[in-house]
Amino acid sequence: MANELRPCPCDIGDRFDYGGRGQEVQVEHIKAYVCKPPASTDKAVIVIHDIFGWQLPNTRYIVDMLATNGYVATCPDFFVGQEAWKLSNDWATFNDWLKTRDAGKIDKEVDVVLKYLREQCGAKKIGVVGFCWGGAAVQHLMLKNPNLKTGVSLYGVIKFFEDRSSLLHPTFFIFAGKDEIIPLEQVTVLEQKLKQNCKVHYEVKIYPGQTHGFVHRKREDINPQDKPYIEEARKDMINWLNKYL
């Protein structure tokens, strides 16, 4: 069966039953989900979704979590109206689907969102967080966008950007110890290249026993053995943002 090819293990985990506390807005040519904290702030975080798109309840849960921690948080539709991946899709078509959704070609959309956050939300210090496809996008942005302050890449696929490691901004990399798509050897090579070439602060952290998507695709209440790692990674993500924004 073609589905057994599964070039991405992103279907591991749970789809949250979560409605969201924010709202959907139109930002020039793209839609975005936005959640604001109770108190005014000049700090904002752009959340970059995985292959399941900007409407995935799990990702909106993270957006709302960031807002609860004092950030204007937004998850734009970086597929710009194109369909997100569905579990019912044939994995044999995944690579063709991915060609039209390049994590390294989101600069136009990021500029639009940055303008929105500055002009409409009063943001002066802006960071970025991304999961899987979005984690690779964070790596891309940390290498080239001067208008962001910091980034957190969660299980971003290293092979997309393995030849570049001169980061512009402090970056935190979260990886899972049992990730089928990102073997630990790749993480080791990434660390070696960062050590050689990176002039800014970075950190690479591996969470033992965890699988791809664990920070936003696993529910603590039905995976009790994973709960400490899920909570630790989310806390690490928030602490990193607090330090650099």
Side-chain angles (χ1 to χ4, degrees), residues 19-27 30-35 54-57 60 64 73-77 116:
R21 292 176 31 240
Q23 60 180 332
E24 294 184 4
V25 298
Q26 186 74 35
V27 183
I30 50 177
K31 293 180 178 179
Y33 175 77
V34 181
C35 191
W54 73 297
Q55 293 177 310
L56 183 72
R60 296 192 171 189
D64 292 359
T74 179
C75 179
D77 175 16
Y116 164 77

Side-chain angles (χ1 to χ4, degrees), residues 152 154-155 172 174 205 207 214-215 227-239:
V152 181
L154 296 96
Y155 25 88
F172 185 44
I174 288 176
K205 187 168 179 179
Y207 297 76
F214 76 100
V215 182
K227 183 175 181 177
Y229 298 108
I230 295 170
E231 292 181 342
E232 180 182 352
R234 290 175 179 172
K235 185 178 179 182
D236 289 342
M237 175 181 71
I238 298 291
N239 287 343

Side-chain angles (χ1 to χ4, degrees), residues 35-45 66-73 117-118 120-126 242 245:
C35 191
K36 297 181 180 180
S40 62
T41 179
D42 64 353
K43 299 176 181 180
V45 179
L66 290 166
T68 302
N69 280 273
Y71 296 96
V72 175
L117 289 171
R118 288 196 206 99
Q120 304 295 321
C121 304
K124 295 178 181 176
K125 291 176 275 191
I126 304 171
N242 289 346
L245 288 181

Side-chain angles (χ1 to χ4, degrees), residues 113-162:
V113 175
L114 285 169
K115 181 182 177 186
Y116 164 77
L117 289 171
R118 288 196 206 99
E119 296 181 0
Q120 304 295 321
C121 304
K124 295 178 181 176
K125 291 176 275 191
I126 304 171
V128 61
V129 166
F131 302 91
C132 184
W133 184 90
V138 168
Q139 296 169 20
H140 164 74
L141 292 170
M142 290 296 96
L143 287 163
K144 68 168 294 184
N145 193 308
N147 299 309
L148 292 160
K149 295 291 185 185
T150 190
V152 181
S153 172
L154 296 96
Y155 25 88
V157 183
I158 297 171
K159 63 184 180 182
F160 293 157
F161 303 107
E162 59 189 350

Side-chain angles (χ1 to χ4, degrees), residues 57-128:
N58 304 50
T59 306
R60 296 192 171 189
Y61 179 82
I62 298 293
V63 171
D64 292 359
M65 179 190 299
L66 290 166
T68 302
N69 280 273
Y71 296 96
V72 175
T74 179
C75 179
D77 175 16
F78 283 106
F79 292 162
V80 197
Q82 295 186 100
E83 277 196 21
W85 183 258
K86 295 193 286 287
L87 289 179
S88 57
N89 290 2
D90 186 342
W91 283 106
T93 67
F94 181 75
N95 286 331
D96 286 335
W97 175 90
L98 194 62
K99 286 174 185 174
T100 61
R101 296 158 180 82
D102 189 336
K105 294 181 179 178
I106 61 169
D107 302 290
K108 180 181 176 183
E109 285 67 44
V110 169
D111 287 344
V112 165
V113 175
L114 285 169
K115 181 182 177 186
Y116 164 77
L117 289 171
R118 288 196 206 99
E119 296 181 0
Q120 304 295 321
C121 304
K124 295 178 181 176
K125 291 176 275 191
I126 304 171
V128 61

